[in-house]
Amino acid sequence: MSKINWSKLISGTDIRGKAVETENGPIELSNQVVYGIGDSFSKWLAEKKDKKLNDLTIAVGHDSRISAQRLKNALLKGLSHNGAKVYDAGLASTPAMFMATVLAGHQYDGAIMITASHLPYDKNGFKFFSREGGLEKEDIKNILDLAAQSEAEIRENYQKEEDKVLKAEKIDLISDYCNHLKSIIRDELKEGIDKDKPLAASKIIVDAGNGAGGFFADKILKELGAEIEGSQFLEADGYFPNHPPNPEDKEAIESIKQAVIENDADLGIIFDTDVDRAAVVDSNGQAINRNKLIALASKIVLEDYPGSTIVTDSVTSVGLNKFIEDKLGGVHHRFKRGYKNVINEAKRLESEGQTVPLAIETSGHAAFKENYFLDDGAYMVAKVLIKMANLKAQGINNIGVLISDLEEAEIKEEYRMNIKLEDFQEYGQDIINNLKNYIKVFANWEVAPRNYQGIRVNCGDKDWFLLRMSLHDPVLVLNVECDDKSKLEYIKAELRKYLANYDKVELENLQ
């Protein structure tokens, strides 16, 4: 009988858990558990590839978290136990680890990134890749099921190999990945631009938030000629002492905005911990994240793919829809929350014959079709740099002009309300379904067409709200956008009246 709750470690398409013991609880990702995950992934991958275990090649990298080395050592032992050849990429980014399966000189059968994205320092986890892309939730479940079935054997093998010194071959993956990005940037520059140093006339600063993204300043920007003085928090520090490494976080965005203004920079770049998300700040100090980042990315790709479809998550704004469809001539397909949902929907539409060059979530996950539909913050920034250099050649010095006519609501809020039930899904869905009838009494409220998650209600020209279930938790989530405080309070008050009929919903956050 299993003593480890393996299924608890599933987090969407990742494995995540507590990796540092604190007063809030013990470690979930123990060395033995991690060893078992490595052992089971190698078995899963061998079957998937129809290969012998000792013919497999697997690369492992990590971000700056303080538990990374411990987890890496245990993971490499588990991976190599059955004969797979393992490669140590050291400090790396999540997108670079996928590229390890396709880049010339690497092309491993599989890759694992040790990261928990922007979560607190005591958490960690794993993202898994094969050449076909990131693993799906069902794949993660199968890997953990294998571990649960073999738990006694894993325990025995781990105890035998606990003190084993493993010599994994070290690889400089991040340099090869950077060379790949630089090559893409240089290839897409217009005629007449210095392809060796296309950013020579630009001052660009990076805020890596003490995550894994510090490489971008020296290995890409500096190599392309940019002045990078003023870049901050490039050093890897898994305690994240300066601000959360998260392009959505207000403190983080304020930090990079201030740095751009103080250094009179042409552009600011901010990454999350493992560099699969990014945002930028223009020369006026305007933060380009969330809807603005989607607008900018859409502007860039729709020039090459006119009339094509942009897939986004469910909380994008009315103004963004107008920008994509009315001003850019594209098609806005607003789908569900969750970057994997957005990417898979783009792939589905592509399989049906639509042209979908971009799948992008408001969190900053941006996946371009031309880049394997890989959510890659550094690639997103590379596309911005190409556009910036081409604009500069035309005498335009601010990337923000490309989205100057994007209409944005003044107020954007999110409220999360717990559901006090173990079996919460049906209860939450009833709340959402019944709201459709409740709103019929409001003259200017109407259910938005083509909605794929929860219930989205338009309340006027730019005002709207979306009530949906959290992807993983017993939580109702309310997103609201409107133009003034009185409208916000009116929407909240009416929804409080409605939700008061459901005594298992905690409304404190909606007060």
Side-chain angles (χ1 to χ4, degrees):
M1 184 177 176
S2 175
K3 295 181 180 179
I4 297 167
N5 188 353
W6 296 94
S7 63
K8 185 183 177 185
L9 301 174
I10 298 174
S11 177
T13 54
D14 301 346
I15 287 175
R16 285 184 181 173
K18 195 169 176 60
V20 177
E21 189 167 0
T22 67
E23 60 185 15
N24 295 324
I27 288 171
E28 295 167 312
L29 293 175
S30 67
N31 289 345
Q32 181 183 306
V33 166
V34 175
Y35 177 95
I37 290 168
D39 176 85
S40 300
F41 175 68
S42 66
K43 291 174 182 173
W44 177 89
L45 188 63
E47 183 178 348
K48 193 83 171 173
K49 296 286 183 184
D50 194 21
K51 276 190 168 188
K52 294 179 180 177
L53 278 158
N54 57 10
D55 289 334
L56 285 180
T57 55
I58 304 172
V60 175
H62 58 82
D63 65 19
S64 59
R65 291 173 181 277
I66 62 172
S67 55
Q69 287 295 333
R70 178 181 68 80
L71 268 58
K72 181 175 70 173
N73 291 340
L75 187 67
L76 289 170
K77 288 179 185 177
L79 290 168
S80 62
H81 168 73
N82 295 303
K85 187 169 184 183
V86 291
Y87 297 83
D88 182 357
L91 187 68
S93 71
T94 291
M97 293 315 301
F98 164 74
M99 294 302 293
T101 68
V102 295
L103 275 181
H106 296 281
Q107 297 183 340
Y108 310 113
D109 295 306
I112 303 175
M113 177 66 176
I114 302 171
T115 182
S117 189
H118 63 282
L119 293 182
Y121 79 92
D122 60 325
K123 302 292 195 300
N124 216 326
F126 308 97
K127 295 185 178 183
F128 301 84
F129 300 98
S130 69
R131 286 174 196 162
E132 290 69 45
L135 270 57
E136 300 292 340
K137 185 173 184 177
E138 191 61 29
D139 299 322
I140 302 301
K141 182 179 182 301
N142 290 339
I143 290 166
L144 292 175
D145 284 347
L146 275 175
Q149 293 160 17
S150 308
E151 187 175 319
E153 182 185 343
I154 286 167
R155 186 183 304 110
E156 183 180 343
N157 291 332
Y158 171 71
Q159 288 169 354
K160 287 178 184 175
E161 300 179 15
E162 185 174 4
D163 298 325
K164 173 183 171 184
V165 178
L166 178 69
K167 292 183 179 178
E169 183 176 333
K170 293 189 180 298
I171 55 173
D172 187 9
L173 174 65
I174 207 71
S175 291
D176 293 338
Y177 168 72
C178 288
N179 289 337
H180 167 72
L181 286 180
K182 285 182 289 187
S183 175
I184 289 169
I185 292 169
R186 288 173 170 136
D187 286 348
E188 293 191 27
L189 296 170
K190 289 182 178 176
E191 289 296 323
I193 297 175
D194 178 4
K195 300 218 169 181
D196 183 44
K197 302 290 184 184
L199 304 178
S202 300
K203 185 168 189 176
I204 304 174
I205 60 177
V206 174
D207 183 330
N210 301 113
F215 69 85
F216 201 89
D218 282 317
K219 288 182 176 288
I220 295 182
L221 294 177
K222 199 171 182 180
E223 290 285 315
L224 294 173
E227 182 186 341
I228 60 171
E229 184 181 351
S231 292
Q232 58 188 20
F233 317 138
L234 305 183
E235 313 80 20
D237 186 336
Y239 286 106
F240 311 122
N242 293 291
H243 60 65
N246 182 358
E248 284 190 286
D249 183 80
K250 291 179 180 178
E251 180 187 356
I253 285 294
E254 281 305 313
S255 180
I256 184 64
K257 282 172 63 176
Q258 194 62 35
V260 166
I261 293 166
E262 288 178 357
N263 290 279
D264 195 23
D266 297 290
L267 188 74
I269 300 164
I270 185 165
F271 294 115
D272 76 338
T273 321
D274 60 326
V275 201
D276 59 0
R277 295 187 296 138
V280 297
V281 175
D282 72 8
S283 58
N284 291 333
Q286 174 188 209
I288 302 178
N289 63 348
R290 298 186 63 79
N291 285 297
K292 288 182 179 179
L293 184 68
I294 297 173
L296 179 59
S298 300
K299 172 74 174 176
I300 290 169
V301 298
L302 286 170
E303 289 179 358
D304 294 328
Y305 302 93
S308 61
T309 299
I310 308 297
V311 178
T312 75
D313 62 342
S314 59
V315 299
T316 47
S317 68
V318 173
L320 178 68
N321 181 266
K322 290 179 180 177
F323 184 80
I324 291 173
E325 298 200 339
D326 299 345
K327 296 179 180 176
L328 301 182
V331 177
H332 180 200
H333 184 83
R334 193 182 65 241
F335 195 55
K336 299 177 182 177
R337 288 286 277 172
Y339 73 93
K340 198 71 172 175
N341 289 330
V342 173
I343 291 170
N344 286 343
E345 179 70 354
K347 290 178 179 178
R348 184 188 71 80
L349 294 175
E350 275 276 334
S351 72
E352 294 179 353
Q354 291 193 43
T355 301
V356 187
L358 176 66
I360 181 167
E361 197 186 31
T362 48
S363 64
H365 286 281
F368 292 80
K369 177 187 174 184
E370 66 194 27
N371 190 44
Y372 305 94
F373 273 125
L374 171 67
D375 50 320
D376 184 345
Y379 190 89
M380 173 72 242
V381 173
K383 297 293 285 185
V384 172
L385 293 175
I386 293 162
K387 190 65 181 174
M388 179 179 167
N390 288 336
L391 285 175
K392 205 148 197 171
Q394 302 170 34
I396 301 171
N397 296 315
N398 183 4
I399 194 78
V401 301
L402 296 180
I403 57 169
S404 58
D405 51 353
L406 171 68
E407 299 173 16
E408 284 252 84
E410 291 296 321
I411 297 172
K412 308 173 188 70
E413 297 291 350
E414 179 174 287
Y415 305 92
R416 300 175 69 84
M417 294 156 283
N418 294 326
I419 299 175
K420 299 176 291 184
L421 277 176
E422 229 175 273
D423 187 13
F424 59 87
Q425 289 287 357
E426 186 177 347
Y427 190 81
Q429 196 55 52
D430 281 345
I431 293 172
I432 289 166
N433 292 339
N434 294 335
L435 183 58
K436 293 174 186 175
N437 292 322
Y438 181 78
I439 68 162
K440 288 179 180 177
V441 300
F442 299 93
N444 63 337
W445 286 18
E446 60 179 8
V447 176
R450 301 188 310 277
N451 190 60
Y452 296 90
Q453 185 173 43
I455 177 170
R456 181 170 171 133
V457 177
N458 294 329
C459 309
D461 185 31
K462 287 188 288 183
D463 305 341
W464 59 272
F465 69 82
L466 172 69
L467 187 67
R468 59 186 172 87
M469 289 294 297
S470 166
L471 290 178
H472 309 297
D473 303 315
V475 174
L476 271 175
V477 185
L478 173 67
N479 294 90
V480 185
E481 287 196 9
C482 56
D483 273 336
D484 63 56
K485 187 79 173 175
S486 63
K487 290 180 181 177
L488 173 66
E489 293 306 325
Y490 174 68
I491 291 170
K492 285 169 60 181
E494 292 302 329
L495 288 176
R496 278 199 302 271
K497 288 180 193 174
Y498 170 70
L499 292 171
N501 296 307
Y502 296 89
D503 61 357
K504 300 302 181 186
V505 180
E506 295 180 339
L507 296 178
E508 288 82 357
N509 290 341
L510 200 56
Q511 299 306 320

